Amino acid sequence: MASSLYSFIIPLAIAFIFVTPPTSTSKISLNHEREETEPSFRIMLKRVDAGKNLTTSERIRRALQRDRKRLQMFKTMTKLSSSGIEAPVFPGPGEFLMQLAIGTPPQYYPAIMDTGSDLIWTQCSPCVQCFSQPTPVFDPSKSDSFESLSCSSKFCQDLSSACIGNCYYTYAYGDSSFTIGYMATETFAFNGSGSPVSVQNIAFGCGQFDQGTFTNCSGLVGMGRGPLSLPSQLPVSTFSYCLTSTDSSNDSTLYLGPSPYELPQGTPVTSTLVKNTYQPSFYYFTLTGISVGATRLDIPSDGFAIGKNGTNGIIIDSGTTLTYIPSNYYDMAKDEFVRQTKLSPFPNSTSLIGLDCYELPQSPSTVQFPILVFHFDGGDLMVKDYLITGSYSNYELVCLAMGSSDTLGISIFGNIMQVNKYIVYDLEREVLTFIPTNCNGK
């Protein structure tokens, strides 16, 4: 079996980011203007499911449940957008957890890193209603650097909701999850390329009334394109990451700012980032077609373009596990996959497992699996990581890590297909770059 195949028993792309408590730190005071020399932060990612005693079915169920919740949020967002309704609804809980140090002296908390939203927030004391979190709730009264914001603040004006009195915010996440609180500024600590770096005056939300499907965290760190996101507030014009395969014992890496390390030697493939005024937080990119092996599917070059009222288009999303495309394109891909592999579809696999699966022969190594090719306006990206293998009721199966996006109103390039690629978000040049590399060796 090819090494690029995923197994049912893997912990799918969930990670903690651990930041070492700073002993001595350098400090940056943000004036929220780009600096000539950008700082860089290298942050390590670990998978939270690693070492957990979970069965194959439990791991698959957990991964698909997370995707279903997030997809419901996307569905709500695009439905409101296509109806011309403006509402602060965001995709919410994602797949990666970042541990931050906040305040003076620093208090540590894990938060979801989300490329689909902007606001940085954590639960704060006193909390009227809070969900359970693994660390103590952040207490502003114990920090010397905490400062609440007023309605006249630029950051308060960047909120989508009107400001009345103090700078309160409301963020809803489409699946009945929400956070309500007030805006403030604080000092956040990150690991830099040398000693830890403390960044002052980061605007964030202090949540006091919070509810929803947030697990193993105390809040979110928005990495989207809006003014309140972490990349927008830091003096950086790029961020990037390199995700390891699930069978690797090495950590994945996230970089804020230019990578302080030598770039991979693979051939870069680029795609133009596209802005959608109806969904300004998402990272839409330019996709002109898909091939299965050497066979290019009959997809028009504008098949993934943003349509009327901001619908359709395709985004790259770290918080979604699978890749979702329109059903007519997905059906083409499935048919071509079957034609080239000669595998038989497993009956009712979508209802039994939640994936399109195929029965493997007694000698799986005899099957030649084609490479998927995503055609961008700046080159062709070869994708080997698009299969999940496992057993079901004594049958050995291989499943596509894909699904239909018809009910979503948007296509999504999920994190399984992002594995073993150094991916750079160049926010200044509006370019998304993929460099195939061995992230396992980083």
Side-chain angles (χ1 to χ4, degrees), residues 93 157 208 248 297 346 384:
Q157 295 170 9
Q208 294 185 305
S248 174
L297 305 179
F346 187 71
K384 298 179 181 179

Side-chain angles (χ1 to χ4, degrees), residues 77 85 94 97 129 132 189 200 202 208 214 237 246 251-252 261 269 275 293 307 342 344 352 381 398 400 412 437:
M77 292 180 65
I85 300 173
L97 289 172
Q129 175 181 305
S132 176
Q200 299 174 342
I202 293 287
Q208 294 185 305
F214 307 102
S237 59
T246 53
D251 298 337
S252 298
Y261 302 92
V269 178
K275 292 184 178 180
K342 305 297 192 294
S344 299
L352 293 172
L381 179 67
V398 61
L400 300 177
I412 303 171
T437 189

Side-chain angles (χ1 to χ4, degrees), residues 149-172:
L149 295 176
S150 66
C151 285
S152 61
S153 164
K154 173 186 179 299
F155 293 113
C156 194
Q157 295 170 9
D158 286 332
L159 291 169
S160 55
S161 55
C163 183
I164 301 175
N166 293 327
C167 186
Y168 293 105
Y169 73 88
T170 299
Y171 248 53

Side-chain angles (χ1 to χ4, degrees), residues 325-345:
I325 61 176
S327 61
N328 53 335
Y329 304 159
Y330 182 41
D331 289 342
M332 292 182 201
K334 288 189 294 183
D335 292 344
E336 186 59 29
F337 176 83
V338 170
R339 188 187 73 80
Q340 293 187 30
T341 61
K342 305 297 192 294
L343 297 177
S344 299

Side-chain angles (χ1 to χ4, degrees), residues 205-225:
C206 235
Q208 294 185 305
F209 193 77
D210 312 308
Q211 172 182 296
T213 56
F214 307 102
T215 56
N216 298 325
C217 74
S218 62
L220 270 76
V221 175
M223 297 286 291
R225 295 173 67 100

Side-chain angles (χ1 to χ4, degrees), residues 263-271 376 378-381 422 432-436:
L263 291 177
Q265 297 301 309
T267 302
V269 178
T270 63
S271 178
F376 302 148
D380 298 332
L381 179 67
Y422 183 72
L432 184 67
T433 300
F434 297 79
I435 307 177

